[in-house]
Amino acid sequence: MTAQDHALCSHCLLPIGRRAMRRTVNGEACAFCCYGCCIAYQVKHGKTEEWEAAWLLIRLGVGGFLSMNIMLFSLLLYSDAFSGADAEMLPWIHLLLWLFATPAVIILGGPFLREAWLHGMEGRLTSSALIVLGVGSAYLYSAFATIEGSPHVYFDTATMVLMLFTAGYYLDAAGRARAARDLQPLLAAESEWATVVIGDGEYRRPVREVDAGVLVRVRPGERIPVDGVIMEGESHNDEALITGESRQIAKGVGSHVIAGSINLDGPLLIQSSGVANATRWAQICRSVRDALIRRSPSQRLADNIVGFFVPIILVLGIGASVYWARHLPFDRALLIGLAVLVVACPCAVGLAAPMATSLGIGRLARHGCLVRDPAALEALARIGLIAFDKTGTLTSGQARVVAIDSDGTSADVVLAHAAGLERHSEHGLGRAIAAAAAARGLEPVAIHDVRVVPGRGIRGKSDGRIVAAGSAALMRELGWSLTPNLVDYGRRREASSHSVIYVGWGERAYAVLSLDDTPLPEARSTVEALRRRGVRVTLLTGDLPAAAVRIAAAVGIESGDIEAGLTPEAKRAALGRRRHDHGMVAMVGDGLNDAPVLAGADVGIAVGSATDLAREAAAVVLPSGGLRTLPWVIDVARAVRATILTNLAWAFGYNLIAIGLAMVGVLQPVLAAAVMAGSSIIVVLNSLRLERLPEPAPSAAAESAPAPRSTATSNQKAA
Amino acid sequence: MSAYLIIFFAGFAGSFHCIGMCGGFACALGRDPQGRGATVLRHLLYNTGRLTTYCFLGGLAGALGQLICTPQGTTVPLLSGSLDTGQRILAILAGLLMIAMALQFFGLLPRLHRITSGSGASTFAASLRSLLTAPGHAAPLAFGVFNGFLPCPLVYAFAAQAASTAGALPGFLTMAAFGLGTFPAMLLMGGVGRALAPAWRQRGVWLAGSCILLLGLVTVGRGILPFAVHFAHGWTEPA
């Protein structure tokens, strides 16, 4: 397999299987998954000045003109308009039909013949071979019949089959391209252009050639092509694709903008801050592209079946003709064989899985949820148990002051001192203390000469006294005493997995602050929503049992479903044990230290710090704050799986019944062609129902913002 | 024969109304730099393409009607004999459809228009535009063929009428008469451009609506009234 075997169709963006068609449109090398996409793309993207797109339409138009006239005369023949006195006209009518049919068969059948020939040279039999064989035999038989003066000719069958297949493929491709709308912005990124400002001039440059420091102009409605800082202009941005939050964010001079977000309402001049290929947006695009090219289990199954489908049909078709030739006139037997060949095109089977999968992946990606492997999407639909990591997954990963145990001093005084110090700190715990003081309305004590003691804490001076906040080690370092009470408080808090900070001034420590992570506001509703979907929820954490129980209680996980104090390897083993009872298992982690267990689960889901796509272990990546989308992701996965199953059931069922009908001689070839064209359109329509799935539940932040979703989508199209 | 005349007139009048879509194409097809003869040929080819599609649709609709009315697929007398039950039902349905179309022409059924000429038409039309400027004689012919498939309430009305004739030949003739009726206005459009006053278009709409209404009533009558057999005999037997 070479790289070109792993491409996506230029028109419908579905992965190209083993039957790629290559054409040059507008000087660009394009690859197509089928003839339908090839025509549809050329019609849509061929330049008016250029001859090719029009030439294609002319061929189709003239082919249509000829085959419609043939059909018309044949209809008149069938309705016996030329019977009786007009019977001597028959040979001339047949000759006329032959005259019309020859160019029509050449014009419409050429591409099929070419494809069948190319694949034949590679030793592969494809559906074009079936069409060529069927149409060819109908045409040749009719030509002989005309010469011999036989009463029946089948030029109409030959041309209408070609016409119906061409039209069916075209409609099919049009439907698939519509389905690819969600994917378009993601996959077009690599060929996207940026307007670069150099001096007084503006130039269009491919995004990948835009370096750091370059000025880029972005108009309202356009997608921002690079990460950078706004130098001029004000606007609102929609960063839904990157952060998962669908709301408008006001941006002005100095604000950072992210590549891939949409500039909604004002022109911006941006100084690029990084090479475009390295942006998260570029990573998302690559990730989605890779996912589409990978094959899911059901897709592999379908591909394998299609592989030996065509030879079997060929045998069945010829067999049917040979069998019926002993009981019926030769032309009737030929028609029956032809109907078998025509009706059994496996297009619908080949389309069943990729169509639904790419719709699902596109839909999820639009909300920042990345599926990096279609197999994970299929597994997610069958998940029986989801295990959560604690810190950073169910909790915010940001600390909060939960208790102040003081040794005789008022809590407020302690907090005011601590806050005075921590004002100067960037540490996460420090921010939590400052926030707690602010929440109580305390004025932080003024402290100067503040120094951070790495790994220990922070110290400074106030009114000539030393003030310090930090570990017991820091207190000892300062030579301060810790009363047994204080030490006891600290131990107990540590036992329930709180972080503790001693605070003191002058010559002793006065109190111990306990800090802990808080559960995410959406964690509880997510757990409930998962349970409603019949998914069992457990907590696997490396933290101490006490902390695990407290968080589990807060988010609604039962105590029987907790395992604490696990190393990453032990987590993986714990998950493996659960697989016996629950079938498919998923692990949700923040990706930082959960790599082994994310990789060990049937579906690894990285959340929270998922901004870094380098977490190779996870097959599904949710955006920061994307925990609430998890139940929705499962809904989408289930809908995709259901769609694949109905698609496959329809495609196989239809083929079996239609082949059966054709073999017993009930199905006319023209009808067979019409039914066949309809069959893959039904698969497309069935898959398009996925578009009607509800949107994910909005976050609390998005609810309070004015609903921007509709604007965002329309702008997305414009961009 | 007289029925075909009415259809011809309905096509003629209706083509003024349809100048919005098809007339625009005819204009865009424009004049051939090689002179008047080439221009006429260009427009004739375009209209022939359109006519082919209409005839095909008519023949197909007629054959389908025939299929519905006589499961054995034998010949059906061209409405000169007695009507069977299937044909009566078909005639009533087609007639009602035509009356609905006529009312829509008079602006009394505004919603129908959206259904009959949906958004698909514009995308389809857009993708055909490259054909308009393509050189060669095949281009206008091909364009006409595709143009014939553009969703249009007039075409639907007469396709319904064609189906109710329950025969490939009368169906073909119905749509051929309609298509020929649209020739003069289309050729005119190609030659003179947008010279027609809006008032003429309005008159065209009323005339077309009246013709379709008349045909619809006759068709429904053919399905319901017992004496319609004789009535229809005089009306629709081709010369």
Side-chain angles (χ1 to χ4, degrees), chain A residues 278-312:
Chain A
T279 60
R280 175 168 154 81
W281 168 244
Q283 284 180 311
I284 289 178
C285 296
R286 270 198 292 276
S287 181
V288 169
R289 200 179 171 86
D290 290 349
L292 286 180
I293 288 165
R294 287 190 197 180
R295 320 222 117 196
S296 64
S298 53
Q299 202 173 329
R300 273 197 294 271
L301 174 77
D303 285 350
N304 288 340
I305 291 167
V306 169
F308 51 84
F309 198 71
V310 173
I312 290 177

Side-chain angles (χ1 to χ4, degrees), chain B:
Chain B
M1 187 57 211
S2 39
Y4 290 123
L5 265 177
I6 294 186
I7 293 168
F8 180 86
F9 277 117
F12 177 75
S15 60
F16 285 99
H17 163 251
C18 289
I19 271 164
M21 180 172 272
C22 302
F25 289 143
C27 282
L29 209 54
R31 292 192 185 118
D32 197 295
Q34 287 175 334
R36 192 161 177 77
T39 306
V40 169
L41 182 64
R42 212 169 150 74
H43 284 271
L44 273 177
L45 277 168
Y46 159 68
N47 284 300
T48 306
R50 234 163 26 86
L51 187 65
T52 309
T53 305
Y54 292 156
C55 291
F56 169 73
L57 290 175
L60 196 66
L64 283 177
Q66 183 178 352
L67 214 64
I68 293 167
C69 297
T70 54
Q72 304 87 359
T74 54
T75 47
V76 164
L78 299 177
L79 298 186
S80 50
S82 60
L83 296 164
D84 68 14
T85 320
Q87 211 173 338
R88 280 173 183 280
I89 294 169
L90 198 62
I92 292 168
L93 285 178
L96 289 176
L97 193 64
M98 293 187 77
I99 292 168
M101 294 282 183
L103 292 181
Q104 188 242 305
F105 263 64
F106 295 133
L108 298 173
L109 275 177
R111 202 177 291 170
L112 199 64
H113 196 264
R114 237 177 294 149
I115 302 166
T116 50
S117 48
S119 61
S122 52
T123 28
F124 186 35
S127 67
L128 287 180
R129 238 164 260 284
S130 62
L131 264 179
L132 281 172
T133 48
H137 290 313
L141 179 73
F143 185 75
V145 168
F146 292 126
N147 191 172
F149 283 110
L150 283 180
C152 161
L154 263 181
V155 174
Y156 295 150
F158 290 101
Q161 172 72 14
S164 79
T165 61
L169 187 60
F172 160 75
L173 290 173
T174 301
M175 287 299 271
F178 163 70
L180 285 172
T182 62
F183 262 50
M186 284 298 147
L187 287 172
L188 212 62
M189 282 309 288
V192 262
R194 268 171 281 244
L196 281 168
W200 266 99
R201 287 207 215 169
Q202 197 50 46
R203 269 168 232 167
V205 171
W206 282 90
L207 189 56
S210 310
C211 289
I212 298 170
L213 188 64
L214 184 63
L215 278 169
L217 290 171
V218 168
T219 312
V220 170
R222 228 170 61 204
I224 296 174
L225 305 172
F227 63 86
V229 177
H230 311 287
F231 189 51
H233 181 84
W235 272 87
T236 53
E237 194 178 22

